[in-house]
Amino acid sequence: MGLPTLDSFFNQSSLVLPKQLQLVNFPRLLIPSLTTQRKQVVKALATPAESVKMVKAIRVHELGGPEVLKWEDVEIGEPGEGEIRVKNKAIGLNFIDVYFRKGVYTTPTPFTPGVEAVGEVIAVGPGITGRRVGDIVAYAGYPIGSYAEEQILPANRVVPVPSSIGPVLAASVMTKGMTAQFLLRHCFKVVEQGHTILVHAAAGGVGSLLCQWANALGATVIGTVSTKEKEAQAKDDGCRHVINYKEEDFVARVKEITSGSGVNVVYDSVGKDTLQGSLACLKTRGYMVCFGQSSGVPDPIPLSALAPKSLFLTRPSLMQYTESRDQLLESAGEVFASIASGVLRVRVNHTYPLSQAAQAHADLESRKTSGSVVLIP
């Protein structure tokens, strides 16, 4: 199936590619948005001079397990210069929310978690052009704070949602879809026909989209999963080979599948449990793309370990691939276009009331979920 063009979604084509091989200090990129008072998405306090209202939100006062996610009343003010206020309709759940809750990524407490939502613009601040009350918009990445009925957002960080895509579907795919887009388009050259790739957690939110998209690009996709049910989904999503790592040694199976040559690139969101094995699966000059750590922070890897096969190692983040407005529109536009064309079939397998975010986190961490998970305010 051919890939769609972006012209019908955004008339934006300028794309500046960031540096490939870098170790990202992700938290530092988010902290400025959290420590500036006007950039707080949901404020626990507001000055008497401001117009404030009460909304419900999930708050984290101390780091820990899902039980630290508290459903509380908070105050929210009016949007300032360059900002909009959005009434959220659907909120995407991502593993990065777990990282913040546990303190793997740091931000001052108390805070409202969440980095993805779709909602209706209900107020605009001074100096805003191109956005108006009633618009349906989506955002992903930063600022943190989407686990709320309403939030304040920088207008330049939201994108319009096509009318053909509903809020729940859009909220399920913004972060995950744009992550898949930059992983396939920019982290490793461009995945294409003739490439063989390994995708860990192939039935997960990002993994499902990665497999579908890579298959459409012509790559041979090998996916790893943890259950029989997820095996079936991974095959349906375009994996030519599926490995249940609970029953098989994925390194041995990859070598068997590739006749000992290895894969061009590994997309690894699992981290600690799979990183060493993933490196062993790569062919000479292969790319190790570690974009998550659901099993824990990987052990340090000496540079000398990359030398025998001249391997490349990167720990990318969506933030650095959507820094500019043009990059953001390019990425979101390609995701929406790929949904419209049928290249991507988004699986919203689980929805929870926002008030039950703690249960959603518990289910995500225990691998009871597959595909995308959405919270409904």
Side-chain angles (χ1 to χ4, degrees):
M1 182 182 296
L3 290 177
T5 65
L6 305 181
D7 294 342
S8 61
F9 289 90
F10 304 113
N11 185 23
Q12 299 285 342
S13 60
S14 174
L15 185 64
V16 180
L17 298 183
K19 293 181 180 178
Q20 267 305 310
L21 298 179
Q22 57 182 333
L23 294 178
V24 177
N25 189 342
F26 183 77
R28 290 186 181 177
L29 295 171
L30 292 180
I31 294 304
S33 296
L34 300 170
T35 56
T36 303
Q37 181 67 17
R38 286 305 306 165
K39 296 299 183 183
Q40 285 281 10
V41 181
V42 176
K43 300 177 184 178
L45 297 172
T47 63
E50 293 180 302
S51 175
V52 298
K53 64 178 290 188
M54 302 302 294
V55 298
K56 285 286 191 179
I58 295 291
R59 298 288 282 171
V60 175
H61 295 270
E62 59 180 344
L63 304 178
E67 70 279 359
V68 304
L69 298 170
K70 303 299 183 183
W71 183 238
E72 298 179 356
D73 291 311
V74 295
E75 293 180 340
I76 184 170
E78 292 298 319
E81 185 81 22
E83 295 177 333
I84 58 176
R85 192 168 81 216
V86 177
K87 182 178 179 64
N88 286 332
K89 292 177 174 290
I91 299 157
L93 172 61
N94 297 281
F95 223 95
I96 192 174
D97 306 341
V98 175
Y99 299 156
F100 275 107
R101 193 201 74 219
K102 289 182 172 181
V104 176
Y105 295 153
T106 59
T107 191
T109 55
F111 67 91
T112 298
V115 295
E116 175 181 41
V118 173
E120 179 181 355
V121 177
I122 57 175
V124 297
I128 295 296
T129 59
R131 296 271 69 81
R132 60 173 183 253
V133 172
D135 286 350
I136 303 300
V137 297
Y139 97 99
Y142 67 88
I144 192 173
S146 65
Y147 283 24
E149 293 177 325
E150 297 180 15
Q151 65 182 134
I152 303 292
L153 290 170
N156 65 356
R157 294 308 304 173
V158 305
V159 299
V161 178
S163 59
S164 60
I165 298 177
V168 171
L169 180 61
S172 74
V173 78
M174 278 293 291
T175 297
K176 300 172 187 68
M178 291 198 298
T179 297
Q181 190 268 350
F182 86 77
L183 291 174
L184 293 170
R185 295 296 200 190
H186 306 303
C187 271
F188 163 68
K189 308 172 186 177
V190 176
V191 171
E192 59 188 10
Q193 188 170 1
H195 290 150
T196 300
I197 73 171
L198 174 62
V199 178
H200 286 300
V206 176
S208 173
L209 300 178
L210 265 175
C211 294
Q212 293 178 50
W213 212 332
N215 181 59
L217 290 167
T220 297
V221 182
I222 304 171
T224 69
V225 297
S226 59
T227 68
K228 290 289 186 183
E229 294 75 19
K230 292 180 179 180
E231 283 184 45
Q233 179 184 312
K235 289 178 181 177
D236 191 47
D237 284 341
C239 288
R240 188 173 303 179
H241 307 277
V242 181
I243 302 169
N244 186 330
Y245 63 82
K246 295 287 188 180
E247 300 176 354
E248 299 180 278
D249 179 341
F250 76 84
V251 177
R253 279 289 290 129
V254 167
K255 289 182 178 179
E256 179 185 345
I257 292 167
T258 62
S259 300
S261 63
V263 299
N264 297 94
V265 56
V266 177
Y267 293 110
D268 190 339
S269 63
V270 178
K272 186 178 179 65
D273 292 348
T274 53
L275 185 57
Q276 291 293 341
S278 294
L279 289 170
C281 290
L282 288 168
K283 63 169 43 178
T284 300
R285 299 192 305 277
Y287 280 69
M288 177 68 224
V289 182
C290 184
F291 67 98
Q293 50 200 46
S294 61
S295 67
V297 179
D299 295 327
I301 297 174
L303 285 175
S304 58
L306 307 178
K309 291 192 286 187
S310 293
L311 300 179
F312 295 85
L313 170 64
T314 183
R315 176 50 172 101
S317 165
L318 176 62
M319 307 305 121
Q320 288 73 54
Y321 289 83
T322 55
E323 285 183 319
S324 73
R325 181 70 179 166
D326 285 346
Q327 289 172 332
L328 176 63
L329 292 174
E330 174 81 12
S331 183
E334 190 168 359
V335 170
F336 289 147
S338 295
I339 294 171
S341 70
V343 167
L344 295 181
R345 293 173 293 108
V346 184
R347 299 175 183 274
V348 185
N349 291 342
H350 312 272
T351 60
Y352 298 78
L354 177 58
S355 60
Q356 295 178 18
Q359 184 62 55
H361 273 231
D363 290 347
L364 178 67
E365 288 182 271
S366 62
R367 301 190 179 183
K368 293 181 180 178
T369 65
S370 63
S372 295
V373 182
V374 175
L375 306 174
I376 308 297

